[in-house]
């Protein structure tokens, strides 16, 4: 297989090895060191894709990550990755690539018909079209647009690769390993700073690899490699190749994406595909270089029109001629270097057209001497042919000339890449001398060097890298004696601002990726979108994956001309992160699937899983919801059985997930008095008390039980959901509000495993399980507590009941929880001990009218929940004052009630709203809502808890439970919320 | 964003929970309670605010931050004199 455009020699490629790859199913060859673009260009491939809006045939424009045209889908199957730039995709053996945005084929794309309708598709067309008739939007327009829109397609399959997150901390972050960056990094390392050096390319050197220059007597590429090797010898220096710093954030934080395995067919075993870095740097140096900009003229997007520095890169770095016969069109000195490179590699040079009236004689002379026509003060009027066949130009006198060419190298000048500085608000300013935007007064901890600061000469770049490193070193209090810089020369590098050329009547592109033309800019100005930010959004110029790195400044230039302003007055847009697209998978890291967030297991989890428990997520916890027995096919069977077994025998439930806080000190009682609505300082040792705490605005926040084990040793429980919030609340109270109180608090939620043992046979079971403990009613009355030892471990036993049955809670250190639950079930067999889950737990507390999370919903006060009388009048507490506001004590407020279906069988569902019978089902009739509902096996019918306006005085009334979402209104009777054993006799025996 | 915790050093802000303006002081009586619960100045510029090192030392910090520049200039422990 021949590569007709591969040069006979040269390039940083390994010609001794051949790689095989395919593009749109056709086989090709290349070499290690090639990119997909360089290898395809070596074969003479011109067509790489179709443009976004107009489906124009497109070829390679650049040689870097700013490429707007040659976007392909790399790989196939689950690893298929759309919108990959062929110019940076490193070639590997077996690479598969396919072109995008074309049907049925790249060469013959039916969607190219869009071009005929192009007058309809001008900037902002979507604000003016597809509006009539309104009904047509959903069924006709949107599906059509959805099919036509977008660029590239995702595989839709699960990503088989893994992604890592990592952190780095350094004195100095150097972004870019070109000549300026390498110099800065080396000087900093020599001065004893810790340095991170990141470059998006696999090899250091930046544009040195694209040019024929020498540094200190070596070729640029050799000098870069040698400098990198020297840098690697410093242990405090981390080199990150293939790494793009994509964002700069507060406090020295930078985001960077390391493409660990993008250049391999698949990652090595154990290797992540990419690594997302958070780099915290005390100082940052931007050595990100400058990107070349094009010139706007008719047909400037034709395959074969390429940026001049890209042409030089393909010639020098990849040993590829992007064409047989070239024209160079330049507005700056650097374009002449490309002309020289073309001559040196034997590509026919048809003409050099310089838009400026003059250029350095040293650059012109060798070109003229080779017999190449030179047009100073000339213009390119149009590029013809797809792919390129001819260039129409005008000389300084206005006479038209036609040059046959298949390659047009365009050099419109250079844009320093200082987007990272803009992320924290430092927009670049217009610098007249370099006809570009560059960093003005930057932040103190960031400096731009080399081409990124508009210093385009090589010697100047080295010097500016040194100066910035010196400044950073001094600022950080270090210093070192440094050897002299290697010898280098500044080539001529003057630039003139030439934004457009020729009439720009037809398709003269400003933003290639979004198909924004010069006439779109004119249209935007006509419609009043004259600020750079408005121009960007209205035309979508600069909003594609290249983020305007190629064409944005040309757009500014056209805008300035159209509005009669200078570039300085026009300004530039504020760049935002990320500088390049970053895969969502990289941001996710390992937080996928099971690892999206932590899973918390209680001590009995393994045991419960053995018993076949069905688990439910409660926050991050897994809690057993019910324990199905063989033969049970519906969850109601299991839950009803568990409730009955507990109320008639004895049941066990793992309640370890509730928050637990240990409180120690002489002032704990005082603190608790201020946090809870009821008194706690009066609680005696060996007793527990239920409490409710409010938010500062008077709304109920959380409830729980506090136990006093010793005069200065207390223990608090919270609901599962509020464990962290209450801990934070306690810490705020004792550290900020009342720091003079002598109180220590520690979260011990995970330290204890706690089981609830409930039912008439609970005491019998405990006597058998804990024979040394006196569990008589006298020794351990209701709301009493004691400490004990179980198998030598400190344990606690409480007489508490959430179910309304005779009940206890036993706590052991979490590591003993599994052993305890197995012990209890071994001992419990004769008593018919039954495990019950959160559903049965919920049924029993609803039967007893206990408020829980559904009622502590952020709207309810203590009085709403029927707990108003709990509030002590003898002391102040958080929320007391605000709970007394008129709207908070209004008797018309929703109040906790019970509901039963009038027909005795209809299920009442939580979320239903309460209406008076006959009232219209509108918001104005709303009298409340159902907060909790279940079937009560104890009573034999459905029940519910609800918040009903003026509910306390409405027991006996009928009310409609209206459920428009799920359908089926239910007629219900309002009753006392305590459905079962209202006197509480079962718990006190 | 990084918070300079006096115990733990400069830490990622993700370890913390923010509560807001530290200027209001909790009144002992009804007078001023509404303003304490609901009213905040929202200054453009220097702000002292409460941050809780939830995933670290669990201390409340009084952090000095500029709401315009996002610069965090310091933090003191609430319990060591930072409390209002």
């Amino acid at each position: 297989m021949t590569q007709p455009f591969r040069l006979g020699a040269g390039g940083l490629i390994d010609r001794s090895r051949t790689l095989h790859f395919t593009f749109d199913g056709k086989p090709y060859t290349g070499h290690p060191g090639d990119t997909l673009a360089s290898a395809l260009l070596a074969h003479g491939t011109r067509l790489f894709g179709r443009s976004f809006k107009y489906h124009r045939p497109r070829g390679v424009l650049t040689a870097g990550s700013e490429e707007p045209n040659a976007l392909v889908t790399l790989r196939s199957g689950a690893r298929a990755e759309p919108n990959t730039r062929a110019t940076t995709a490193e070639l590997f053996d077996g690479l598969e690539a396919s072109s995008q945005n074309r049907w049925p084929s790249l060469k013959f794309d039916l969607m190219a018909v869009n071009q005929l309708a192009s007058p309809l598709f001008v900037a902002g067309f979507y604000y003016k079209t597809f509006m009539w008739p309104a009904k047509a939007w959903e069924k006709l327009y949107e599906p059509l647009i959805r099919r036509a829109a977008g660029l590239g397609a995702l595989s839709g399959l699960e990503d088989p690769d893994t992604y890592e997150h990592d952190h780095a901390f350094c004195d100095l972050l150097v972004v870019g390993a070109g000549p300026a960056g390498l110099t800065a990094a080396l000087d900093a390392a020599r001065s004893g700073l810790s340095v991170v050096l990141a470059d998006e390319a696999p090899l250091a050197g930046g544009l040195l690899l694209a040019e024929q220059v020498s540094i200190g007597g070596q070729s640029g590429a050799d000098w870069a490699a040698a400098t990198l090797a020297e840098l690697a010898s410093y242990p405090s220096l981390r080199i990150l190749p293939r790494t793009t710093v994509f964002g700069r954030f507060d406090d020295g934080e930078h985001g960077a994406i390391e493409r660990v395995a993008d250049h391999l067919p698949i990652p090595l075993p154990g290797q992540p595909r990419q690594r997302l870095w958070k780099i915290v740097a005390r100082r940052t140096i931007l050595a990100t270089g400058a990107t070349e900009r094009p010139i706007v003229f008719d047909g400037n997007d034709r395959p074969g029109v390429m940026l001049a520095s890209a042409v030089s890169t393909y010639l020098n770095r990849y040993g590829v001629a992007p064409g047989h016969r070239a024209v160079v069109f330049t507005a700056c000195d650097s374009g002449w270097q490309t002309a020289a490179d073309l001559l040196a590699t034997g590509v026919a040079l048809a003409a050099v057209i310089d838009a400026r009236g003059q250029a350095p004689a040293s650059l012109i002379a060798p070109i003229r001497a080779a017999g190449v026509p030179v047009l100073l003060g000339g213009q390119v009027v149009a590029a013809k042919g797809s792919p390129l066949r001819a260039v129409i130009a005008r000389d300084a006198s206005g006479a038209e000339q036609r040059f046959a060419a298949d390659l047009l190298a365009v050099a419109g000048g250079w844009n320093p890449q200082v987007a990272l500085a803009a992320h924290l608000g430092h927009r670049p300013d217009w610098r007249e001398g370099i006809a570009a935007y560059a960093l003005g007064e930057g932040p103190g901890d960031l400096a731009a060097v080399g081409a990124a600061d508009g210093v385009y000469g090589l010697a100047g770049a080295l010097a500016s890298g040194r100066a910035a490193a010196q400044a950073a070193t001094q600022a950080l209090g270090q210093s070192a004696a440094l050897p002299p810089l290697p010898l280098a020369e500044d080539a001529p590098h003057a630039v003139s601002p030439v934004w457009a050329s020729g009439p720009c009547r037809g398709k003269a592109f400003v933003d290639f990726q979004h198909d924004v033309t010069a006439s779109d800019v004119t249209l935007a100005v006509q419609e009043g979108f004259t600020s750079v930010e408005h121009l960007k959004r209205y035309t979508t110029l600069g909003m594609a994956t290249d983020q305007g790195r190629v064409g944005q400044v040309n757009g500014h230039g056209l805008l300035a001309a159209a509005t009669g302003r200078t570039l300085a007055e026009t300004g530039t847009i504020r760049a935002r992160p990320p500088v390049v697209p970053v895969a969502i998978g990289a941001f996710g890291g390992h937080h996928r699937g099971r690892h999206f967030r932590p899973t918390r297991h209680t001590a009995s989890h393994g045991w419960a899983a053995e018993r076949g428990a069905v688990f439910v997520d409660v926050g991050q916890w897994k809690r057993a919801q019910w324990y199905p027995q063989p033969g049970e096919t519906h969850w109601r069977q299991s839950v009803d059985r568990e409730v009955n077994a507990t109320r008639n025998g004895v049941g066990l439930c793992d309640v370890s997930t509730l928050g637990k806080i240990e409180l120690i000190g002489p002032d704990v009682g005082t603190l608790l008095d201020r946090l809870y609505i009821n008194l706690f300082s009066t609680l005696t040792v060996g007793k527990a008390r239920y409490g409710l705490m409010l938010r500062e605005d008077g709304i109920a926040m959380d409830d729980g039980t506090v136990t006093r084990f010793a005069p200065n040793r207390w223990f608090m429980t919270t609901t599962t959901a509020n464990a962290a919030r209450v801990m934070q609340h306690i810490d705020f109270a004792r550290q900020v509000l009342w720091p003079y109180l002598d109180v220590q608090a520690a979260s011990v939620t995970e330290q204890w495993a706690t089981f609830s043992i409930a039912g008439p046979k609970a005491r019998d079971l405990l006597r058998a399980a804990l024979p040394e403990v006196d569990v008589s009613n006298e020794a351990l009355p209701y709301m009493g507590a004691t400490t004990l030892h179980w198998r030598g471990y400190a344990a606690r036993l409480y007489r508490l009941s959430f179910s309304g049955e005779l009940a206890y809670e036993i706590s052991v250190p979490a590591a003993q929880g599994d052993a305890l639950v197995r012990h209890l079930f071994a001992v419990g067999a004769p008593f018919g001990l039954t495990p019950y889950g959160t559903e049965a737990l919920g049924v029993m507390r609803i039967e007893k009218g206990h408020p829980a999370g559904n009622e502590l919903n952020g709207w309810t006060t203590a009085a709403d929940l029927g707990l108003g009388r709990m509030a002590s009048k003898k002391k102040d507490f958080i929320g007391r004052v605000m709970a007394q506001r008129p709207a908070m004590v209004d008797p018309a407020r929703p109040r906790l009630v019970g509901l039963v279906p009038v027909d005795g069988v209809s299920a009442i569902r939580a979320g239903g709203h309460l209406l008076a019978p006959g009232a219209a089902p509108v918001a104005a009739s709303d009298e409340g809502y159902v907060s909790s509902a279940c079937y009560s096996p104890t009573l034999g019918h459905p029940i519910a808890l609800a918040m009903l306006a003026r509910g306390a005085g409405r027991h006996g009334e009928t009310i409609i439970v209206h459920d428009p979402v799920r359908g089926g209104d239910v007629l219900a009777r309002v009753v006392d919320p305590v459905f079962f054993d209202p006197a509480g006799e079962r718990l006190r025996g | 964003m990084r918070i300079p915790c006096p115990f733990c050093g400069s830490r990622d802000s993700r370890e913390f929970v923010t509560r807001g303006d530290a200027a209001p002081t909790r009144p002992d009586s009804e007078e001023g309670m509404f303003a304490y619960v609901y009213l905040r100045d929202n200054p453009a510029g220097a702000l002292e605010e409460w941050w809780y090192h939830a995933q670290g030392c669990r201390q409340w910090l009084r952090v000095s931050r500029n709401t315009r520049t996002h610069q965090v200039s310091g933090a003191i422990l609430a319990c060591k004199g930072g409390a209002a």
Side-chain angles (χ1 to χ4, degrees):
Chain A
M1 183 168 310
T2 56
Q3 301 174 22
F5 290 79
R6 180 78 68 184
L7 298 172
L12 302 170
I13 53 172
D14 180 1
R15 290 168 188 268
S16 71
R17 286 176 49 212
T18 302
L19 305 174
H20 297 267
F21 69 99
T22 66
F23 179 54
D24 280 347
K26 269 186 66 182
Y28 296 88
T29 54
H31 302 290
D34 265 328
T35 60
L36 176 61
S38 66
L40 283 170
L41 287 171
H43 282 272
T45 304
R46 293 319 193 90
L47 202 50
F48 281 70
R50 291 273 175 170
S51 72
F52 181 50
K53 200 162 56 167
Y54 297 128
H55 287 253
R56 285 173 68 87
R58 290 283 170 83
V60 170
L61 182 72
T62 72
S65 61
E66 68 273 19
E67 176 61 30
N69 284 342
L71 304 177
V72 304
T73 294
L74 209 60
R75 297 188 176 84
S76 60
R79 287 193 167 88
E81 204 177 328
N83 303 336
T84 303
R85 300 166 209 68
T87 50
T88 53
E90 293 177 58
L91 194 69
F92 55 82
D93 202 42
L95 184 148
E96 291 172 74
S98 46
S99 58
Q100 300 178 156
N101 208 37
R102 78 295 184 272
W103 186 83
S105 75
L106 186 54
K107 225 171 148 206
F108 182 65
D109 180 17
L110 280 182
M111 287 296 280
V113 72
N114 278 1
Q115 292 180 74
L116 298 175
S118 63
L120 286 179
F121 289 136
V122 295
F125 75 91
Y126 33 82
Y127 300 120
K128 304 167 185 165
T129 51
F130 304 117
M131 287 181 190
W132 181 88
K135 279 186 291 209
W137 173 258
E138 197 183 328
K139 293 276 162 39
L140 179 64
Y141 296 141
E142 205 220 340
L144 273 181
I145 292 169
R146 213 168 262 288
R147 292 247 322 266
L151 192 68
L154 295 172
S155 71
L157 303 170
E158 171 119 10
D159 189 337
D161 291 328
T162 58
Y163 300 82
E164 274 182 9
H165 287 174
D166 210 337
H167 291 76
F169 298 85
C170 59
D171 292 323
L172 177 68
L173 171 63
V174 178
V175 187
L182 285 169
T183 303
L186 189 55
D187 280 357
R190 285 167 172 154
S191 306
L193 299 189
S194 61
V195 180
V196 172
L197 172 64
D199 194 291
E200 62 175 1
L203 292 177
L207 276 182
L208 290 177
L209 306 180
E211 298 165 353
Q212 304 282 12
V213 292
S214 88
I215 302 185
Q218 294 175 301
S219 76
D222 287 345
W223 174 84
T227 306
L228 199 68
E230 190 182 343
L231 284 169
S233 72
Y234 287 93
S236 62
L237 191 137
R238 183 196 296 271
I239 301 170
L240 294 175
R242 297 189 174 94
T243 302
T244 307
V245 178
F246 62 76
R248 188 173 142 81
F249 307 96
D250 293 311
D251 300 321
E253 289 185 336
H254 298 76
I257 185 73
E258 180 186 0
R259 289 173 286 277
V260 179
D262 279 13
H263 62 290
L264 304 173
I266 61 172
L268 301 174
Q271 202 181 37
R273 173 75 186 271
Q274 293 181 352
R275 187 176 287 125
L276 185 79
W277 286 91
K278 190 176 241 192
I279 303 170
V280 184
R282 297 168 70 195
R283 291 286 185 282
T284 308
I285 289 179
L286 293 189
T288 38
T291 17
E292 194 166 31
R293 57 190 181 221
I295 300 174
V296 178
F297 51 85
D298 287 320
N300 67 334
D301 71 319
R302 306 241 181 232
V305 180
M306 209 178 267
L307 294 178
S309 63
V311 172
S312 289
T313 303
Y314 289 114
L315 291 170
N316 296 322
R317 179 174 176 171
Y318 298 105
V320 171
H324 281 315
R325 189 174 172 80
V327 169
V328 172
F329 178 34
T330 182
C332 52
D333 292 346
S334 61
W336 290 87
Q337 186 56 55
T338 300
D341 290 340
L342 286 161
L343 282 181
T345 51
V347 178
L349 188 52
V352 176
I353 303 163
D354 195 322
R356 306 169 293 172
Q358 60 200 33
S362 58
L363 302 177
I364 303 179
I367 305 301
R368 279 221 170 98
V372 176
V374 169
L375 276 63
L376 293 176
Q379 272 193 324
V380 163
V381 163
K384 294 288 192 191
S386 186
L388 186 71
R389 277 189 327 266
V391 176
I392 314 296
R394 259 192 217 127
D395 65 23
S397 70
E400 213 172 80
Q401 292 190 44
R402 183 191 172 91
F403 299 98
D406 64 352
L407 176 63
L408 173 55
V410 181
W414 295 89
N415 296 327
Q417 296 287 284
V418 286
L420 284 172
H423 293 173
L424 288 180
H426 297 278
R427 281 185 217 235
D429 300 320
W430 180 252
R431 223 186 263 176
E432 202 62 46
I434 53 168
Y437 292 96
L439 200 59
E441 187 66 50
D445 57 351
L446 176 113
V449 297
D453 197 37
V455 178
Y456 298 138
L458 184 52
L462 301 178
S464 80
R466 165 156 289 187
Q470 207 152 38
T473 304
Q474 273 167 15
L476 296 176
Q478 306 270 62
S479 69
L482 300 169
L485 288 170
L487 243 71
E489 275 183 11
D490 276 350
H493 51 262
V495 177
S496 283
V498 175
W499 311 116
S501 161
C504 293
R505 241 190 332 252
K507 290 286 178 278
F509 286 90
V510 181
D511 183 314
F512 295 88
Q513 206 176 131
H514 270 179
D515 273 346
V516 178
T517 61
S519 50
D520 285 329
V521 177
T522 309
L523 181 66
V525 171
Q526 277 170 9
E527 305 209 345
F529 296 98
T530 53
S531 86
V532 279
E533 300 282 8
H534 280 153
L535 174 72
K536 173 178 174 179
R537 274 74 181 183
Y538 191 66
T539 62
T540 74
L541 185 169
M543 293 178 69
T545 65
D546 65 337
Q547 286 289 284
R549 288 166 72 191
V550 170
Q552 184 123 257
V553 177
N554 293 64
H556 294 349
L558 294 176
L559 175 69
T563 54
R565 291 176 292 179
T566 64
L567 270 289
E569 288 165 338
T570 305
T572 186
I573 55 94
R574 176 169 173 169
R576 298 180 194 281
V579 169
V580 293
V582 180
I584 299 282
F587 285 112
H590 67 273
H591 297 289
R592 290 164 61 177
R594 263 191 333 123
H595 300 291
F596 180 66
R597 53 181 185 168
T599 307
R600 299 171 83 177
H601 287 174
T602 64
S604 74
H605 186 92
W607 169 87
E610 286 168 24
R611 293 286 287 238
V614 170
F615 291 95
V616 66
D617 289 340
V618 182
Q620 295 167 355
W621 292 100
K622 296 283 187 194
R623 295 192 75 178
Q625 204 175 7
W626 58 80
Y627 296 77
Q629 295 284 68
E632 289 175 348
T633 52
H634 189 274
W635 61 268
R636 272 278 312 278
Q637 295 173 293
S638 312
V639 174
D640 290 356
R641 173 182 52 74
E642 289 173 12
V643 172
N644 289 330
T646 303
R647 290 217 187 279
N648 296 313
V650 56
L652 179 146
C653 183
D654 188 328
V655 295
S656 306
T657 63
L658 273 67
K660 309 181 201 62
I661 299 164
E662 198 85 0
L663 294 146
I664 300 170
D667 294 334
V668 173
T670 308
L671 177 67
L672 296 178
D673 279 353
R674 298 181 188 183
L675 297 180
Y676 284 106
I677 66 175
N678 48 327
L679 272 174
F680 275 87
S681 50
T682 54
L683 186 64
T684 52
V685 171
K687 283 285 191 283
R689 184 173 293 170
Y690 171 76
L692 178 74
M693 52 172 80
L694 309 182
R695 303 188 319 209
E696 284 279 19
D697 65 357
I699 295 287
M701 186 171 85
D702 199 57
D703 67 349
T705 310
V706 177
T707 307
R708 192 172 192 174
F709 284 106
N712 289 353
R713 185 138 194 162
W714 305 64
F715 174 78
M716 175 197 289
T717 66
T718 77
T719 60
T720 300
N722 285 325
R725 179 172 300 128
V726 173
M727 187 73 232
Q728 195 180 316
H729 184 62
I730 289 172
D731 279 342
F732 189 78
R734 67 188 186 91
Q735 291 176 26
V736 176
L737 296 180
W738 307 299
Y740 50 83
L741 293 180
D742 188 353
V743 176
Q744 295 297 322
S747 164
V748 293
T749 305
E750 308 204 323
Q751 276 63 33
W752 294 100
T754 305
F755 301 98
S756 171
I757 298 163
K761 296 188 186 151
R763 181 177 286 121
D764 298 336
L765 169 60
L766 277 184
R767 266 201 215 104
L770 306 170
E772 342 71 52
V773 183
D774 185 353
V775 291
S776 65
N777 195 29
E778 293 69 36
L780 193 57
Y782 178 57
M783 299 307 278
T786 185
T787 59
L788 62 140
H789 282 83
W790 180 71
R791 294 189 181 169
Y793 294 98
R796 292 169 168 178
L797 185 64
Y798 314 76
R799 177 112 172 252
L800 301 169
S801 180
F802 194 48
S803 57
E805 297 303 314
L806 167 67
Y808 301 80
E809 288 183 11
I810 179 163
S811 291
V812 291
Q816 305 312 313
D818 179 82
L820 177 63
V821 72
R822 293 179 194 275
H823 170 70
L824 290 168
F825 273 87
V827 171
F831 305 98
L833 178 61
T834 301
Y836 67 94
T838 55
E839 285 302 314
L841 180 79
V843 168
M844 287 191 279
R845 71 98 189 162
I846 292 172
E847 289 174 339
K848 291 298 295 181
H850 286 316
N854 294 5
E855 287 75 37
L856 298 170
N857 55 21
W859 293 335
T860 53
T861 65
D864 295 344
L865 300 173
L867 301 174
R869 276 170 315 181
M870 258 179 73
S872 167
K873 303 212 193 318
K874 297 185 197 148
K875 49 128 183 171
D876 194 10
F877 50 87
I878 286 180
R880 181 186 66 81
V881 169
M882 298 299 270
Q884 288 166 357
R885 290 179 286 166
M888 303 289 267
V889 298
D890 186 344
R893 282 178 69 88
R895 172 80 167 232
L896 184 68
V897 298
L899 295 176
V900 295
V902 165
D903 68 2
V905 293
S906 296
I908 298 168
R909 281 178 290 206
H913 277 256
L914 306 177
L915 306 172
V922 293
S925 315
D926 193 1
E927 302 206 40
Y929 55 94
V930 179
S931 58
S932 305
C934 65
Y935 176 81
S936 165
T938 310
L939 303 170
H941 57 76
I943 57 175
L945 294 175
M947 303 301 296
L948 175 65
R950 265 179 278 268
R954 297 175 70 174
H955 294 188
E957 276 185 37
T958 46
I959 197 94
I960 305 273
V961 178
H962 178 55
D963 193 345
V965 173
R966 291 166 291 193
D969 287 1
V970 173
L971 190 64
R973 191 168 61 256
V974 180
V975 296
D976 191 277
V978 185
F979 296 91
F980 177 64
D981 183 25
E985 290 160 5
R986 294 170 80 90
L987 4 104
R988 290 175 201 280
Chain B
M1 188 179 172
R2 304 187 73 76
I3 307 286
C5 176
F7 278 144
C8 310
S10 170
R11 304 297 301 180
D12 195 312
S13 61
R14 288 179 293 188
E15 295 179 8
F16 297 79
V17 175
T18 184
R19 187 184 167 108
D21 196 344
T25 51
R26 188 173 193 278
D28 288 326
S29 64
E30 295 189 23
E31 185 86 34
M33 185 61 80
F34 180 87
Y36 173 72
V37 174
Y38 288 113
L39 302 183
R40 295 292 182 271
D41 278 338
N42 196 23
L47 175 71
E48 306 265 297
E49 55 187 11
W50 295 123
W51 286 76
Y52 177 62
H53 201 179
Q55 290 177 41
C57 56
R58 282 229 298 273
Q59 298 299 301
W60 280 96
L61 310 180
R62 192 185 179 97
V63 175
S64 300
R65 183 172 73 89
N66 185 306
T67 61
R68 274 215 182 91
T69 65
H70 294 198
Q71 200 201 356
V72 173
S73 53
I76 48 178
L77 294 171
C79 64
K80 289 234 191 288

